[in-house]
Each structure stands twice: as C-alpha cells, then as structure tokens.
C-alpha cells in the first residue's frame, strides 16, 4: 500500500513552496492528501500563476477545509505524517493549542497524538515573543518548525531554484528522499 502523506497549504506568504512540495511529491511513491485553507486559496491567486484546480490536481486526494469528518480526522486512518507549507501564524496557533476547529488543525492534532511526523513551515517576519512561544509549544509537543530560510551557499540568483531547494530540504527533514536540493559537498 502507498504511504499517505497529508499536505496542508495555509494562508501565509509562500504559496509556491507548498505547490513545489506537491510537485516533488508527485514524483515519489507517496499518496498525497491535500487541505487548502480559504486564505491559501487567496495567496495562491495573489502570489502565483497556478489556477486552484491545477494545485488540487497535483494531489491524490483533496479535502474540504471544513470537513471535520474526513478520514484524516481519525488516528485510525494511518498516515506517514503531515506538512503544513506554508504555515500561517493563525494555523501555528491552532496547532499549538489543539484548537481543532477545521480539518487543517484537526489533522495536525491527530498527527501529533499518534506520534507521527508533523512539520510546520512557519512563515512570518519579524517574530514577536508570542509567535516564538507558539513555536516553542509545537516543538515541545512533537512538531518540527521549519522556517522557509533559504540556503545561500547555492549562490543562485533564481527565486525558482531557491524555492525548489527549500522544498527539497523540507521533504528531506520529513525523511523523504529526493534530489531537489543541493547537497553541501564541502569547500
Ligand atoms: C498575500 C497575503 C500574504 C500573507 N502572508 C502571511 C504570512 O506570511 N504569515 C502569516 O502568518 N499570515 C499571512 N497572511 C495572513 C493570513 O492569510 C491570515 O492570518 C489568515 O487568516 C490565515 O488563515 P489560515 O491559517 O487558515 O490559512 C497573509 C495574507 C495574504 C492575503
């Protein structure tokens, strides 16, 4: 059976990062289960040239954000884990506080309670102490905080390459093999 991976796109800036992650995952054996928040629908339209239908077509299964009865709401539905990329402060806060009022935060809470991998690509800058405390809380309860900080050793002047490199590193941190990032080989 294919391993299921939940991918959430929330409404932080950087919708292209979530899209690139889905594009890379489409080349892997993972079965992707996608949640897009209403705010992410806006950022996809505002920040990218991808139609929403095109983003959804990259995933194997697409859920309604409000469907809190979807299979991924239950720990009995086995998954490899979940990524939220990009992750807004609002969604970070929901995850940190188990405020599972929608499918995104419920699925994330289930991922944590089942001891599965949860990674949040939290995107905000600058950060106030409240943001930092929310990230601390998520790290304490088992999540990985992966801010979308680019690697400058690639020396690229292409935003597209930077995005691909970041997406590859995000997946690597999830334990997903890929060749989309540049490995540092030393001096
Ligand atoms: C173009 C745009 C960029 C945004 N960038 C960010 C951001 O980088 N980080 C953030 O936390 N919120 C950002 N927001 C605000 C969130 O979309 C907003 O807080 C929303 O309620 C988040 O909802 P969600 O977490 O359910 O997706 C942005 C909104 C827009 C329209």
């Amino acid at each position: 059976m294919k391993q299921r991976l939940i991918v959430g796109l929330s409404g932080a800036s950087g919708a292209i990062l979530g899209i690139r992650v889905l594009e890379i995952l489409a080349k892997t054996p993972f079965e992707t289960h996608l949640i897009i928040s209403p705010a992410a629908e806006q950022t996809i339209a505002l920040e990218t040239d991808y139609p929403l239908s095109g983003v959804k077509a990259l995933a194997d299964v697409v859920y309604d954000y409000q469907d809190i009865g979807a299979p991924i709401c239950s720990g009995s539905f086995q998954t490899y884990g979940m990524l939220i990329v990009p992750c807004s402060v609002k969604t970070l806060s929901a995850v940190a506080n188990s405020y599972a009022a929608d499918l995104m935060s419920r699925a994330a809470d289930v991922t944590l309670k089942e001891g599965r991998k949860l990674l949040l690509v939290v995107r905000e800058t600058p950060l106030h102490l409240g943001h930092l405390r929310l990230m601390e809380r998520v790290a304490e309860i088992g999540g990985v905080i992966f801010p979308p900080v680019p690697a400058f050793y690639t020396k690229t002047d292409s935003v597209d390459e930077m995005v691909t490199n970041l997406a590859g590193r995000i997946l690597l941190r999830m334990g997903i093999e890929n060749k989309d990032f540049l490995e540092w080989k030393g001096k």
Side-chain angles (χ1 to χ4, degrees), residues 1 22 35 41 49 55 77 92 95 98 100 109 114 121 131 134 137 141 146 150 153 158 162 168 178:
M1 190 177 76
L22 287 169
I35 311 162
E41 291 188 9
D49 295 326
V55 178
F77 188 81
L92 164 71
V95 174
S98 298
D109 204 48
E114 298 299 332
V121 179
H131 299 149
L134 290 171
R137 177 94 191 107
I141 59 180
F146 193 121
Y153 64 79
S158 155
M162 190 197 79
N178 70 93

Side-chain angles (χ1 to χ4, degrees), residues 10-13 37 39-40 43 46-47 65 88-91 123-124:
S10 76
S13 191
S37 76
T43 54
L46 290 166
E47 296 183 342
Y65 179 75
S88 72
V89 170
K90 179 204 154 205
T91 292
R123 196 276 156 202
E124 187 50 276

Side-chain angles (χ1 to χ4, degrees), residues 130-149:
H131 299 149
L132 295 168
R133 288 201 170 125
L134 290 171
M135 288 192 253
E136 178 189 39
R137 177 94 191 107
V138 168
E140 279 171 350
I141 59 180
V144 172
I145 302 294
F146 193 121
V149 179

Side-chain angles (χ1 to χ4, degrees), residues 7-141:
V7 180
L9 268 68
S10 76
S13 191
I16 190 62
L17 270 174
I19 295 169
R20 190 58 43 84
V21 159
L22 287 169
E23 286 172 337
I24 297 173
L25 285 169
K27 299 183 281 182
T28 71
F30 280 89
E31 181 182 279
T32 48
H33 291 242
L34 177 64
I35 311 162
I36 302 179
S37 76
E41 291 188 9
Q42 283 195 46
T43 54
I44 290 167
L46 290 166
E47 296 183 342
T48 81
D49 295 326
Y50 286 75
L52 184 59
S53 58
V55 178
K56 289 181 177 177
L58 292 169
D60 294 295
V61 183
V62 182
Y63 298 99
D64 185 313
Y65 179 75
Q66 294 298 348
D67 184 7
I68 42 91
I72 54 174
C73 282
S74 169
S76 64
F77 188 81
Q78 291 171 63
T79 70
Y80 177 81
M82 178 173 181
L83 299 146
I84 304 183
V85 50
C87 181
S88 72
V89 170
K90 179 204 154 205
T91 292
L92 164 71
S93 180
V95 174
N97 293 291
S98 298
Y99 188 70
D102 51 68
L103 184 57
M104 184 86 74
S105 40
R106 171 62 186 166
D109 204 48
V110 167
T111 301
L112 286 175
K113 82 181 174 72
E114 298 299 332
R116 298 173 190 151
K117 293 170 191 258
L118 176 75
L119 183 150
L120 307 185
V121 179
V122 179
R123 196 276 156 202
E124 187 50 276
T125 194
L127 299 162
H128 63 57
L129 186 56
H131 299 149
L132 295 168
R133 288 201 170 125
L134 290 171
M135 288 192 253
E136 178 189 39
R137 177 94 191 107
V138 168
E140 279 171 350
I141 59 180

